[in-house]
Amino acid sequence: MWRRVAGVVRQPEPPVQAEVTAEANSNAPEVRVRAFRMGFVGAIGVLLAVFLGGIIGQLSTVLLYVALALFLALGLDPVVSWMQRRGMARWVAILIVFLVVIGLFVGLIATIVPLVVEQVTTIVENWDQIVEDAANSDLVAWISSVAGGTTWIEDSIAFIGDWLGDPKNIGALTGGILAVGAGIAGGLTGATIVLILTLYFLASLDAMKRYASRFVPASSRNGFVEVSEEITGSVGRYVIGQVSLASINGVLSLIYLTIIGAPAPILLAFIAFLGSLVPLIGTLTGAVIITIISFTAGPATGVAAAVYYLIYMQIEAYVLSPRIMSRAVSVPGALVVIAAVAGGTLGGVLGALVAIPIAASLIIIVEKVIFPRQDLA
């Protein structure tokens, strides 16, 4: 349609909507093809991620073994390096250190296993007498007198004793004899795997560091080597320091628990040693378990154990730990609790042991890599 504007006749402009529609229609097939392709690739990526996550979940125990062996190798490497500086060949130093570790492991097993078997046999044979003694103990009488002479404590002890005295209930509680045997066999197998991997990692630790540095560009290689050396050295000192603290706790617990007449002092000292391997919460957990078991020998024994561990934890926190761990990286208490709980949830006791050195490594990376870059920005 012709229009007259200011005396000038102009030809009408072409329809814009038709062009847009035509252009949209011409591009519509291409848009649909790209959307389908992106959705298909995204779905493949999600399936691949789920598949890899399932594989990692299935291999979680193996990965924990590898991580624990690596941290043990880092903990033993300073000892090997010290022996090398004294003029000893590295393979000789590794052999000596590994023989000492195996000897300690076999010695602990040879000491603890017969003791556990003896205690279990004694408990099974004298179970009725143990339940009766617990119901008539001074601690129960004191609690009953404080509670107003009620008999619910005696009734509860009798019920628990009867329930635990039934082999069917014990089998249901532990998963049966086969499950217990499989757990013991799995533990021994895992310990053997960790020892073998520790030997391999310890022998090839320098080669592993050199190989890992090849993945870093040459311009950043020196900084990577410096940070990795600091991480491995600090983690090694951390592992040695934690084992030293655990050994001190175990030895002192054995001496004191023997003096106060606690039941099975060797077994309880071993529990104290294992608990102290997990800092902060491990010592407290072991102390609570040992104190509860000590109460079975009498109120005085239990109170003596509780007082001892209250004093010991203060000495460990303010005297022993600062001196022994002064050269290792300092891990904040809140981070220790979070790492130990998260590691224990993901991997049990092994996960809790591995989580603390991992947290220490992350702290070093943050302090030596991330913070300097942020300061330069």
Side-chain angles (χ1 to χ4, degrees), residues 280-295:
L280 196 64
I281 61 174
T283 303
L284 177 61
T285 303
V288 171
I289 294 174
I290 294 172
T291 301
I292 293 175
I293 296 176
S294 298
F295 268 107

PDB file of all heavy atoms in Angstrom, residues 280-295:
ATOM      1  N   LEU A 280      43.394 -35.813  69.331  1.00  0.00           N
ATOM      2  CA  LEU A 280      42.320 -35.066  69.977  1.00  0.00           C
ATOM      3  C   LEU A 280      41.168 -35.954  70.423  1.00  0.00           C
ATOM      4  O   LEU A 280      40.991 -36.181  71.612  1.00  0.00           O
ATOM      5  CB  LEU A 280      41.815 -33.944  69.055  1.00  0.00           C
ATOM      6  CG  LEU A 280      40.979 -32.857  69.719  1.00  0.00           C
ATOM      7  CD1 LEU A 280      41.823 -32.107  70.745  1.00  0.00           C
ATOM      8  CD2 LEU A 280      40.435 -31.884  68.693  1.00  0.00           C
ATOM      9  N   ILE A 281      40.400 -36.513  69.491  1.00  0.00           N
ATOM     10  CA  ILE A 281      39.241 -37.306  69.870  1.00  0.00           C
ATOM     11  C   ILE A 281      39.627 -38.751  70.168  1.00  0.00           C
ATOM     12  O   ILE A 281      38.929 -39.437  70.899  1.00  0.00           O
ATOM     13  CB  ILE A 281      38.155 -37.251  68.785  1.00  0.00           C
ATOM     14  CG1 ILE A 281      38.677 -37.826  67.451  1.00  0.00           C
ATOM     15  CG2 ILE A 281      37.645 -35.856  68.596  1.00  0.00           C
ATOM     16  CD1 ILE A 281      37.624 -37.937  66.395  1.00  0.00           C
ATOM     17  N   GLY A 282      40.750 -39.235  69.606  1.00  0.00           N
ATOM     18  CA  GLY A 282      41.132 -40.628  69.835  1.00  0.00           C
ATOM     19  C   GLY A 282      41.546 -40.891  71.261  1.00  0.00           C
ATOM     20  O   GLY A 282      41.159 -41.895  71.867  1.00  0.00           O
ATOM     21  N   THR A 283      42.348 -39.993  71.826  1.00  0.00           N
ATOM     22  CA  THR A 283      42.783 -40.161  73.217  1.00  0.00           C
ATOM     23  C   THR A 283      41.596 -40.116  74.167  1.00  0.00           C
ATOM     24  O   THR A 283      41.505 -40.909  75.117  1.00  0.00           O
ATOM     25  CB  THR A 283      43.788 -39.062  73.578  1.00  0.00           C
ATOM     26  OG1 THR A 283      44.895 -39.107  72.673  1.00  0.00           O
ATOM     27  CG2 THR A 283      44.307 -39.244  74.991  1.00  0.00           C
ATOM     28  N   LEU A 284      40.670 -39.204  73.919  1.00  0.00           N
ATOM     29  CA  LEU A 284      39.479 -39.108  74.761  1.00  0.00           C
ATOM     30  C   LEU A 284      38.619 -40.356  74.646  1.00  0.00           C
ATOM     31  O   LEU A 284      38.144 -40.889  75.661  1.00  0.00           O
ATOM     32  CB  LEU A 284      38.685 -37.869  74.363  1.00  0.00           C
ATOM     33  CG  LEU A 284      37.357 -37.651  75.096  1.00  0.00           C
ATOM     34  CD1 LEU A 284      37.591 -37.491  76.585  1.00  0.00           C
ATOM     35  CD2 LEU A 284      36.627 -36.447  74.519  1.00  0.00           C
ATOM     36  N   THR A 285      38.430 -40.844  73.434  1.00  0.00           N
ATOM     37  CA  THR A 285      37.622 -42.051  73.237  1.00  0.00           C
ATOM     38  C   THR A 285      38.251 -43.253  73.936  1.00  0.00           C
ATOM     39  O   THR A 285      37.567 -44.021  74.623  1.00  0.00           O
ATOM     40  CB  THR A 285      37.460 -42.338  71.740  1.00  0.00           C
ATOM     41  OG1 THR A 285      36.883 -41.195  71.097  1.00  0.00           O
ATOM     42  CG2 THR A 285      36.572 -43.549  71.518  1.00  0.00           C
ATOM     43  N   GLY A 286      39.558 -43.433  73.756  1.00  0.00           N
ATOM     44  CA  GLY A 286      40.240 -44.539  74.444  1.00  0.00           C
ATOM     45  C   GLY A 286      40.163 -44.416  75.943  1.00  0.00           C
ATOM     46  O   GLY A 286      39.982 -45.416  76.649  1.00  0.00           O
ATOM     47  N   ALA A 287      40.288 -43.189  76.457  1.00  0.00           N
ATOM     48  CA  ALA A 287      40.207 -42.994  77.907  1.00  0.00           C
ATOM     49  C   ALA A 287      38.830 -43.361  78.454  1.00  0.00           C
ATOM     50  O   ALA A 287      38.712 -43.974  79.521  1.00  0.00           O
ATOM     51  CB  ALA A 287      40.546 -41.538  78.247  1.00  0.00           C
ATOM     52  N   VAL A 288      37.782 -42.999  77.716  1.00  0.00           N
ATOM     53  CA  VAL A 288      36.425 -43.335  78.162  1.00  0.00           C
ATOM     54  C   VAL A 288      36.219 -44.847  78.178  1.00  0.00           C
ATOM     55  O   VAL A 288      35.674 -45.408  79.151  1.00  0.00           O
ATOM     56  CB  VAL A 288      35.389 -42.646  77.249  1.00  0.00           C
ATOM     57  CG1 VAL A 288      33.982 -43.160  77.562  1.00  0.00           C
ATOM     58  CG2 VAL A 288      35.445 -41.134  77.416  1.00  0.00           C
ATOM     59  N   ILE A 289      36.670 -45.543  77.130  1.00  0.00           N
ATOM     60  CA  ILE A 289      36.517 -47.004  77.078  1.00  0.00           C
ATOM     61  C   ILE A 289      37.278 -47.667  78.210  1.00  0.00           C
ATOM     62  O   ILE A 289      36.761 -48.566  78.901  1.00  0.00           O
ATOM     63  CB  ILE A 289      37.001 -47.517  75.707  1.00  0.00           C
ATOM     64  CG1 ILE A 289      36.091 -47.001  74.593  1.00  0.00           C
ATOM     65  CG2 ILE A 289      37.025 -49.049  75.692  1.00  0.00           C
ATOM     66  CD1 ILE A 289      36.584 -47.345  73.203  1.00  0.00           C
ATOM     67  N   ILE A 290      38.513 -47.244  78.434  1.00  0.00           N
ATOM     68  CA  ILE A 290      39.338 -47.851  79.486  1.00  0.00           C
ATOM     69  C   ILE A 290      38.734 -47.578  80.864  1.00  0.00           C
ATOM     70  O   ILE A 290      38.725 -48.459  81.734  1.00  0.00           O
ATOM     71  CB  ILE A 290      40.780 -47.313  79.386  1.00  0.00           C
ATOM     72  CG1 ILE A 290      41.426 -47.797  78.088  1.00  0.00           C
ATOM     73  CG2 ILE A 290      41.611 -47.765  80.585  1.00  0.00           C
ATOM     74  CD1 ILE A 290      42.764 -47.173  77.809  1.00  0.00           C
ATOM     75  N   THR A 291      38.228 -46.376  81.071  1.00  0.00           N
ATOM     76  CA  THR A 291      37.635 -46.042  82.374  1.00  0.00           C
ATOM     77  C   THR A 291      36.400 -46.896  82.644  1.00  0.00           C
ATOM     78  O   THR A 291      36.200 -47.403  83.759  1.00  0.00           O
ATOM     79  CB  THR A 291      37.272 -44.550  82.406  1.00  0.00           C
ATOM     80  OG1 THR A 291      38.451 -43.768  82.185  1.00  0.00           O
ATOM     81  CG2 THR A 291      36.665 -44.175  83.748  1.00  0.00           C
ATOM     82  N   ILE A 292      35.548 -47.071  81.627  1.00  0.00           N
ATOM     83  CA  ILE A 292      34.347 -47.900  81.806  1.00  0.00           C
ATOM     84  C   ILE A 292      34.731 -49.337  82.141  1.00  0.00           C
ATOM     85  O   ILE A 292      34.145 -49.968  83.041  1.00  0.00           O
ATOM     86  CB  ILE A 292      33.474 -47.832  80.543  1.00  0.00           C
ATOM     87  CG1 ILE A 292      32.909 -46.421  80.380  1.00  0.00           C
ATOM     88  CG2 ILE A 292      32.341 -48.856  80.616  1.00  0.00           C
ATOM     89  CD1 ILE A 292      32.138 -46.228  79.089  1.00  0.00           C
ATOM     90  N   ILE A 293      35.722 -49.877  81.427  1.00  0.00           N
ATOM     91  CA  ILE A 293      36.156 -51.251  81.714  1.00  0.00           C
ATOM     92  C   ILE A 293      36.785 -51.337  83.102  1.00  0.00           C
ATOM     93  O   ILE A 293      36.607 -52.334  83.817  1.00  0.00           O
ATOM     94  CB  ILE A 293      37.146 -51.723  80.630  1.00  0.00           C
ATOM     95  CG1 ILE A 293      36.449 -51.784  79.271  1.00  0.00           C
ATOM     96  CG2 ILE A 293      37.724 -53.091  80.976  1.00  0.00           C
ATOM     97  CD1 ILE A 293      37.358 -52.150  78.121  1.00  0.00           C
ATOM     98  N   SER A 294      37.501 -50.296  83.515  1.00  0.00           N
ATOM     99  CA  SER A 294      38.131 -50.315  84.843  1.00  0.00           C
ATOM    100  C   SER A 294      37.099 -50.315  85.959  1.00  0.00           C
ATOM    101  O   SER A 294      37.364 -50.843  87.054  1.00  0.00           O
ATOM    102  CB  SER A 294      39.069 -49.108  84.988  1.00  0.00           C
ATOM    103  OG  SER A 294      40.118 -49.162  84.037  1.00  0.00           O
ATOM    104  N   PHE A 295      35.928 -49.750  85.724  1.00  0.00           N
ATOM    105  CA  PHE A 295      34.880 -49.744  86.749  1.00  0.00           C
ATOM    106  C   PHE A 295      34.394 -51.167  87.059  1.00  0.00           C
ATOM    107  O   PHE A 295      33.835 -51.409  88.133  1.00  0.00           O
ATOM    108  CB  PHE A 295      33.705 -48.872  86.312  1.00  0.00           C
ATOM    109  CG  PHE A 295      33.802 -47.455  86.778  1.00  0.00           C
ATOM    110  CD1 PHE A 295      34.104 -46.431  85.894  1.00  0.00           C
ATOM    111  CD2 PHE A 295      33.608 -47.136  88.117  1.00  0.00           C
ATOM    112  CE1 PHE A 295      34.199 -45.127  86.309  1.00  0.00           C
ATOM    113  CE2 PHE A 295      33.691 -45.823  88.555  1.00  0.00           C
ATOM    114  CZ  PHE A 295      33.998 -44.811  87.649  1.00  0.00           C
TER     115      PHE A 295
END
